[in-house]
Amino acid sequence: MRLDRLVSEGSALTRSQAAKAIRGGTVTVNGVPVCRPEQRVDENTDRICLGGKPVCYQRFHYYLMDKPLGLITASRDREAGTVLDLLPAEVKKQGVFPVGRLDKDTSGLLLLTDDGDFAHRVISPGSHVNKIYLAEVEGTLLPETVLRFREGIVLKDGTECLPAKLEILRERTCLVTVQEGKYHQVRRMLAAAGNPVVTLRRLQIGALRLADNSEPGTWRQLSEEEKAKVFL
Ligand code: URA
């Protein structure tokens, strides 16, 4: 890849700032100062330094966010704020997008990445990645609803859902585990059972769980270990 692209993607610099830094002589490749932004480098083997510090180039980026209520899970929205508004410019420039969707009125665990294959593997029902939601509902949760979820509940419009797990924690509080992500899926499943959702929060994707003291609106990079947990 081009040296200016690698320096830009591995630092907070824009592409033109990176080119300027290279021309200014602050970038070395394997210890040798270089001044041509268009020089080709190998991101796997070449050691690139900017101002004496190694540039950590990553092919793909992975973030965990605790989505707050009120933001849309989209990359762009004309009227409402999106989850990307929480990220600084240097992360946005990586081209990250949300992995699947949480409704505006749902909070909790949301992954963001620029790795399309990873996103597809998380979302696709064929990957069997569990998504666990904590719901507060209206009415009383009934044991027979557990069975209906297990067999694959039919939504009010006739849509058949894949088998899902409902755990009743209290009269109006439950955990719902699904592997698919239809539009408003958990809300519609619980509404079909006569328990409209009051609040909904995603706690877990695969074996990756939000910390109990996680604060909505916070985000951070995902470690390699956490990334692997998504598929456990
Ligand atoms: N199901 C819903 O109904 N809403 C969400 O945000 C996620 C799953």
Side-chain angles (χ1 to χ4, degrees), residues 64-91:
L64 172 160
M65 180 182 281
D66 186 338
K67 178 195 171 294
L69 299 175
L71 292 184
I72 304 262
T73 310
S75 299
R76 217 168 288 138
D77 192 278
R78 281 207 205 100
E79 281 120 48
T82 79
V83 290
L84 293 192
D85 294 341
L86 296 177
L87 302 175
E90 67 260 29
V91 173

Side-chain angles (χ1 to χ4, degrees), residues 201-223:
R201 180 164 170 78
R202 182 156 66 191
L203 300 182
Q204 194 167 328
I205 299 177
L208 177 67
R209 194 177 174 85
L210 270 186
D212 289 345
N213 60 357
S214 175
E215 287 282 338
T218 57
W219 63 273
R220 60 181 172 76
Q221 236 178 323
L222 208 59
S223 69

Side-chain angles (χ1 to χ4, degrees), residues 59-112:
R59 174 76 182 86
F60 292 119
H61 307 84
Y62 306 88
Y63 298 93
L64 172 160
M65 180 182 281
D66 186 338
K67 178 195 171 294
L69 299 175
L71 292 184
I72 304 262
T73 310
S75 299
R76 217 168 288 138
D77 192 278
R78 281 207 205 100
E79 281 120 48
T82 79
V83 290
L84 293 192
D85 294 341
L86 296 177
L87 302 175
E90 67 260 29
V91 173
K92 275 196 251 186
K93 91 175 180 194
Q94 294 164 352
V96 296
F97 54 87
V99 176
R101 273 171 194 276
L102 288 180
D103 304 334
K104 192 174 174 190
D105 297 328
T106 302
S107 67
L109 178 56
L110 181 68
L111 300 176
L112 298 115

Side-chain angles (χ1 to χ4, degrees), residues 101-103 106 133 184-187 200:
R101 273 171 194 276
L102 288 180
D103 304 334
T106 302
Y133 296 84
H184 285 181
Q185 170 134 7
V186 174
R187 290 175 196 277
L200 191 61

Side-chain angles (χ1 to χ4, degrees), residues 23-231:
R23 283 196 208 93
T26 55
V27 174
T28 57
V29 178
N30 302 321
V32 180
V34 290
C35 54
R36 286 174 44 246
E38 66 277 18
Q39 176 166 330
R40 312 292 303 183
V41 285
D42 184 330
E43 65 274 21
N44 297 314
T45 54
D46 287 328
R47 202 165 30 83
I48 320 294
C49 290
L50 168 66
K53 293 204 183 104
V55 175
C56 296
Y57 171 80
Q58 275 177 264
R59 174 76 182 86
F60 292 119
H61 307 84
Y62 306 88
Y63 298 93
L64 172 160
M65 180 182 281
D66 186 338
K67 178 195 171 294
L69 299 175
L71 292 184
I72 304 262
T73 310
S75 299
R76 217 168 288 138
D77 192 278
R78 281 207 205 100
E79 281 120 48
T82 79
V83 290
L84 293 192
D85 294 341
L86 296 177
L87 302 175
E90 67 260 29
V91 173
K92 275 196 251 186
K93 91 175 180 194
Q94 294 164 352
V96 296
F97 54 87
V99 176
R101 273 171 194 276
L102 288 180
D103 304 334
K104 192 174 174 190
D105 297 328
T106 302
S107 67
L109 178 56
L110 181 68
L111 300 176
L112 298 115
T113 186
D114 51 353
D115 180 347
D117 287 342
F118 173 83
H120 179 73
R121 280 177 66 209
V122 176
I123 298 165
S124 163
S127 302
H128 302 292
V129 173
N130 285 330
K131 285 96 187 174
I132 305 183
Y133 296 84
L134 176 69
E136 297 286 339
V137 300
E138 290 177 21
T140 299
L141 288 156
L142 301 173
E144 51 261 40
T145 307
V146 175
L147 204 64
R148 286 176 69 194
F149 271 49
R150 197 182 302 152
E151 284 168 353
I153 196 163
V154 179
L155 303 181
K156 286 181 181 167
D157 66 359
T159 306
E160 291 176 24
C161 294
L162 290 175
K165 186 172 167 191
L166 173 70
E167 282 172 78
I168 300 175
L169 302 179
R170 286 187 292 279
E171 186 190 352
R172 292 173 186 210
T173 309
C174 61
L175 290 174
V176 178
T177 305
V178 292
Q179 293 188 342
E180 53 183 348
K182 296 187 204 300
Y183 178 70
H184 285 181
Q185 170 134 7
V186 174
R187 290 175 196 277
R188 289 159 74 210
M189 288 167 90
L190 285 162
N195 298 105
V197 165
V198 179
T199 66
L200 191 61
R201 180 164 170 78
R202 182 156 66 191
L203 300 182
Q204 194 167 328
I205 299 177
L208 177 67
R209 194 177 174 85
L210 270 186
D212 289 345
N213 60 357
S214 175
E215 287 282 338
T218 57
W219 63 273
R220 60 181 172 76
Q221 236 178 323
L222 208 59
S223 69
E224 277 301 316
E225 201 187 358
E226 288 174 321
K227 200 178 124 196
K229 276 186 164 182
V230 170
F231 301 106

